[in-house]
Amino acid sequence: MAKVKYYYDSDTLSYKKVVLRKRDKFKKFLVFFLGAISFGLIFMFISFQFVESPKEKAQKRELENLKLRYGLLDKKMAQIENVLDGIQHRDNDIYRLYFEANPIPDEQRKAGFGGVNRYKSLEGFENSEMIIDVSKKMDILSKQLYIQSKSLDEIINLAEDKEKLLASIPAIQPVNNEDLTRMASGYGWRSDPFTKARKMHKGMDFTAPTGTPIYASGNGKIYRADNRASGFGEHIEIDHGYGYKTIYAHLSKYNVKQGQKVKRGDLIGFVGNTGRSSGPHLHYEVHKNGKPINPINFYYGNLTPDEFEEMLKIAAQEGQSFD
């Protein structure tokens, strides 16, 4: 029950009941209401400053977890950088060196990104510095991996080309050792069997019985197989690519035709005595970029070191060629 308030009326010398007007009641309620709101706001302010809500606690835990994950990610990127650095060194110092390709400069591999600030949207947050740092490292790693990927693609192409080159170079004797009577004449100045004048002998002569098999000394394509070259008689010319060509002259017959592709060791023809020849033998030449070179430097594919040494001695002897 609400308390009844009285006041003393000096005119009537008696106590009278206090009766509040509606306006006074509203003022009183308004003062109470505003006071309650003010008190509530002050309480909430103090609570927010010193007391964490469940939602804030959850967000704080999530933020700490993100920081931990960023730290682990940073360590993993450092490990990836070390591995990538090793791959880059091997790429420059071994792979590209072996395949005679220019190394990729470090400035190109590890260059950053110029131009506009690509990380502007990450600025202005509590952990912006950490996030920007990780983002930069990720971008640089991605760029380095892209460059390395392109380099390895180039190395693969070079390796495939190198494999073709090694298979195409004339690297074996065109006649088996056991089929040879002897190596009659080497590359260099020799006595012409018909004029007896000294003449440059642009190939090597291998004496062997007529019909002895002749083999392609490297992969290539039959450029010609005819008797229309002066002095060579029936002969075969193979285009090996990469500037290499080989000539097999004075044949008795062919086992290939023009335009046919052959591989090293394929049977292409047989020893004969056609053309300007003083006896059954194979005249063999190796050309590089249109110029004849000494074939003896290309027999590493089927000669032992001792056999090669012996052949060098015989080839160095000046005598009479067979053509």
Side-chain angles (χ1 to χ4, degrees):
M1 185 175 177
K3 291 182 179 181
V4 180
K5 293 184 178 181
Y6 295 88
Y7 72 96
Y8 181 72
D9 190 350
S10 57
D11 293 332
T12 61
L13 302 177
S14 61
Y15 289 95
K16 289 185 178 180
K17 188 176 179 181
V18 176
V19 178
L20 294 175
R21 291 175 297 177
K22 289 183 178 180
R23 184 177 178 182
D24 294 333
K25 287 182 178 180
F26 178 74
K27 285 182 179 180
K28 190 175 181 179
F29 171 77
L30 186 61
V31 169
F32 174 78
F33 179 73
L34 291 174
I37 290 177
S38 299
F39 178 78
L41 291 173
I42 293 170
F43 178 78
M44 288 176 64
F45 176 77
I46 295 173
S47 297
F48 287 154
Q49 289 294 321
F50 302 102
V51 181
E52 292 181 342
S53 67
K55 186 176 182 180
E56 286 177 325
K57 289 180 179 179
Q59 289 176 338
K60 188 175 182 179
R61 285 195 301 269
E62 185 176 351
L63 183 60
E64 292 299 325
N65 187 41
L66 284 174
K67 287 182 179 179
L68 178 62
R69 289 179 179 274
Y70 269 113
L72 293 173
L73 181 60
D74 193 55
K75 289 181 179 179
K76 286 183 178 179
M77 283 194 294
Q79 293 173 350
I80 293 172
E81 284 176 346
N82 288 334
V83 173
L84 183 57
D85 191 56
I87 294 173
Q88 290 170 345
H89 280 299
R90 288 196 297 274
D91 185 38
N92 273 354
D93 301 337
I94 300 176
Y95 309 143
R96 302 185 71 82
L97 185 65
Y98 176 77
F99 292 109
E100 301 173 353
N102 292 326
I104 300 174
D106 284 344
E107 302 80 45
Q108 182 180 343
R109 287 185 183 275
K110 299 182 180 180
F113 297 87
V116 297
N117 183 4
R118 56 193 295 123
Y119 310 106
K120 190 173 181 63
S121 61
L122 301 177
E123 295 176 351
F125 301 100
E126 183 178 349
N127 299 289
S128 289
E129 187 176 342
M130 178 183 66
I131 297 171
I132 290 173
D133 183 60
V134 171
S135 298
K136 284 181 179 178
K137 288 181 178 178
M138 287 286 287
D139 286 342
I140 291 173
L141 270 176
S142 298
K143 183 177 180 180
Q144 290 182 36
L145 285 169
Y146 176 78
I147 293 172
Q148 186 58 52
S149 172
K150 289 296 181 183
S151 177
L152 291 176
D153 288 343
E154 184 183 355
I155 293 297
I156 290 172
N157 292 333
L158 289 171
E160 290 175 349
D161 199 50
K162 192 86 169 184
E163 186 177 358
K164 291 178 183 177
L165 168 63
L166 293 175
S168 299
I169 291 176
I172 63 171
Q173 286 186 146
V175 181
N176 287 333
N177 275 346
E178 56 269 21
D179 294 329
L180 294 177
T181 305
R182 65 188 177 95
M183 193 191 76
S185 180
Y187 177 91
W189 290 96
R190 298 292 183 269
S191 176
D192 187 286
F194 300 100
T195 65
K196 306 304 179 181
R198 280 175 59 79
K199 177 183 175 184
M200 182 62 185
H201 191 238
K202 298 178 180 179
M204 297 184 74
D205 291 340
F206 297 92
T207 58
T210 298
T212 299
I214 299 171
Y215 305 98
S217 55
N219 293 2
K221 187 176 182 180
I222 303 299
Y223 181 71
R224 61 188 298 176
D226 55 51
N227 60 0
R228 295 193 298 272
S230 177
F232 280 165
E234 305 292 343
H235 76 289
I236 293 171
E237 186 173 338
I238 299 178
D239 185 353
H240 301 276
Y242 307 98
Y244 288 99
K245 282 187 178 180
T246 51
I247 296 173
Y248 312 76
H250 312 300
L251 278 59
S252 58
K253 61 179 180 178
Y254 310 111
N255 194 50
V256 291
K257 58 184 179 180
Q258 185 179 4
Q260 181 179 335
K261 290 183 178 180
V262 293
K263 291 185 177 181
R264 180 182 293 149
D266 283 354
L267 176 64
I268 59 173
F270 302 89
V271 171
N273 190 29
T274 59
R276 192 174 185 273
S277 171
S278 60
H281 77 288
L282 169 69
H283 175 81
Y284 174 66
E285 294 185 10
V286 176
H287 291 240
K288 179 70 165 70
N289 297 326
K291 295 181 179 180
I293 53 180
N294 195 342
I296 202 168
N297 298 317
F298 294 86
Y299 298 146
Y300 56 83
N302 65 346
L303 289 180
T304 66
D306 291 338
E307 289 172 335
F308 184 73
E309 187 69 26
E310 183 63 25
M311 179 171 281
L312 281 175
K313 291 178 182 178
I314 298 172
Q317 297 174 3
E318 290 194 19
Q320 180 175 288
S321 66
F322 265 49
D323 45 37

